[in-house]
Amino acid sequence: MITAVRHLGPNWYATVMGTAILATAGISLPVPLPGLRPACAALWALALAMLLLLLTARALHWRHHRDQARAHLLDAAMAPFYGCLAMALLSVGAGALTAGRNWIGTTAAVALDTVLFTTGTAIALVAAVAVPYLMAVRHRVPVQEATPVWLLPLVAPMVAAAAGPLLVPHLPPGQPRETLLLACVALFGLSALAVLLMLPLLFARTIGGPLPLALTPTLFLVLGPLGQSTTAVGKFADAAPQAMPESAGTGFGMFAVLYGVPVTGFALLWLCLAGAHVVRARRRGMGFTMTWWAFTFPVGTCVTGAEALARHTGLAAFDALALGLYALLVAGWLAAAVGTARGLLSGELLRGPRPVPVAPRPVTARTTSGAVR
């Protein structure tokens, strides 16, 4: 076990995120499909078990392979995935109050979500500062090499912003509720403005040429802040009547629609663009890597965003959009889960990176005239 976790990076928390969002998005679908609620509860329980297993494995990794852990922090390709730890905690915590409450009870769900939300938010804030700092002073990656992975530590506070309003009704009325709600609004602003600064770099990188095949699925990560921010403003509107004066509650409801509709439009544009890149990469031999988990959580946030718009507009079009995106989410989760299971059974995913073969030095020969050829 100790040897097996040597190369277990923070990117593995994406498996928890993808499984948890499958549960939380499914439980709120506008059409009650037969057997969906028990299936979502089972998926949430699976996500919780995966989280506990990964937390244990990562603790062993830091305890026994600290050199490798430090190498991950100093690796510009791996360090941003520390945002996934925060998002895994937050997504499982939110799932406790949505998909898992009927199994464990409201009291236990609130207690679990409180712990995971508090811990996840703290880690999200640390990651949002520490990872960009490391990228500036230690990694020093040229902006021309920007990838959507850079978004991960910046999106983590947005996940906290969307998860926090679920706890508002369980706080005492008055200032405690209002304080939590406005703190979530501040987290929304922190993440949204930081992502807004990053998106032009990523768009320029995309039109400047396709990403390497293995990184192509990470284009779906751009959907994360788009769908999650739409979900967040919808959650603000849901919680505002219980925490704010009536006029403020009305304002949050209007903002949920005025913000969510255009952002969802851009998300659909990016979904088509990213999908076209993935189809191209697949035709050129793109095989399975852990980046395939980018097909899950970001798409899931678009599902919850569409569900929020359906609640606040009453339009059947958003109901249909949520159902269609959820079908895409299920397909992405199945593809990533099957690939991961195969990689674990073969041991391929837990092996270290293969050493790059050293090219032989060119052989030179001298002719009779003394020239080198």
Side-chain angles (χ1 to χ4, degrees), residues 276-293:
H277 276 275
V278 168
V279 170
R280 173 189 176 277
R282 190 66 173 156
R283 288 177 175 174
R284 283 162 173 76
M286 180 188 74
F288 174 78
T289 66
M290 289 296 289
T291 58
W292 281 35
W293 283 98

Side-chain angles (χ1 to χ4, degrees), residues 148 206 211 215-223 266-282 286 294-295 298-299 328:
T206 302
L211 292 174
L215 287 179
T216 303
T218 64
L219 289 170
F220 275 71
L221 294 177
V222 176
L223 298 175
F266 180 68
L268 293 176
L269 168 66
W270 192 273
L271 176 62
C272 295
L273 178 64
H277 276 275
V278 168
V279 170
R280 173 189 176 277
R282 190 66 173 156
M286 180 188 74
F295 299 145
V299 176
L328 183 63

Side-chain angles (χ1 to χ4, degrees), residues 6-11 13 58 61-62 65-85 123 126-141 149-150 153:
R6 175 166 177 78
H7 299 286
L8 187 76
N11 57 321
Y13 286 112
R58 288 286 296 163
H61 174 85
W62 271 95
H65 304 288
R66 193 161 298 180
D67 61 324
Q68 188 68 20
R70 283 182 55 82
H72 285 163
L73 277 174
L74 299 178
D75 183 358
M78 187 62 71
F81 284 99
Y82 273 90
C84 291
L85 167 58
I123 295 174
V126 171
V129 175
V131 174
Y133 175 79
L134 284 173
M135 293 178 71
V137 302
R138 298 298 298 270
H139 303 157
R140 299 190 179 183
V141 182
V149 173
W150 290 13

Side-chain angles (χ1 to χ4, degrees), residues 54-306:
L54 273 174
L55 288 173
T56 302
R58 288 286 296 163
L60 290 172
H61 174 85
W62 271 95
R63 174 68 178 83
H64 297 281
H65 304 288
R66 193 161 298 180
D67 61 324
Q68 188 68 20
R70 283 182 55 82
H72 285 163
L73 277 174
L74 299 178
D75 183 358
M78 187 62 71
F81 284 99
Y82 273 90
C84 291
L85 167 58
M87 291 187 279
L89 294 169
L90 291 163
S91 57
V92 172
L97 280 176
T98 54
R101 181 171 56 183
N102 291 336
W103 276 23
I104 64 176
T106 300
T107 302
V110 170
L112 178 59
D113 188 24
T114 300
V115 172
L116 295 180
F117 172 75
T118 304
T119 307
T121 301
I123 295 174
L125 291 173
V126 171
V129 175
V131 174
Y133 175 79
L134 284 173
M135 293 178 71
V137 302
R138 298 298 298 270
H139 303 157
R140 299 190 179 183
V141 182
V143 294
Q144 296 84 355
E145 298 180 15
T147 72
V149 173
W150 290 13
L151 288 171
L152 291 173
L154 304 179
V155 179
M158 186 66 77
V159 179
L166 293 173
L167 288 169
V168 167
H170 302 283
L171 292 176
Q175 288 206 12
R177 292 185 179 183
E178 186 172 352
T179 299
L180 177 58
L181 180 58
L182 291 183
C184 291
V185 175
L187 290 168
F188 167 87
L190 179 160
S191 179
L193 293 176
V195 168
L196 191 62
L197 294 174
M198 185 68 70
L199 285 180
L201 295 178
L202 298 178
F203 191 78
R205 174 67 180 85
T206 302
I207 63 175
L211 292 174
L213 295 183
L215 287 179
T216 303
T218 64
L219 289 170
F220 275 71
L221 294 177
V222 176
L223 298 175
L226 303 175
Q228 196 65 275
S229 61
T230 303
T231 302
V233 295
K235 295 292 186 182
F236 298 160
D238 294 339
Q242 304 172 69
M244 305 283 288
E246 183 178 353
S247 58
T250 303
F252 274 113
M254 294 178 61
F255 181 59
V257 176
L258 294 177
Y259 174 90
V261 172
V263 170
T264 298
F266 180 68
L268 293 176
L269 168 66
W270 192 273
L271 176 62
C272 295
L273 178 64
H277 276 275
V278 168
V279 170
R280 173 189 176 277
R282 190 66 173 156
R283 288 177 175 174
R284 283 162 173 76
M286 180 188 74
F288 174 78
T289 66
M290 289 296 289
T291 58
W292 281 35
W293 283 98
F295 299 145
T296 58
F297 190 81
V299 176
T301 66
C302 293
V303 177
T304 55

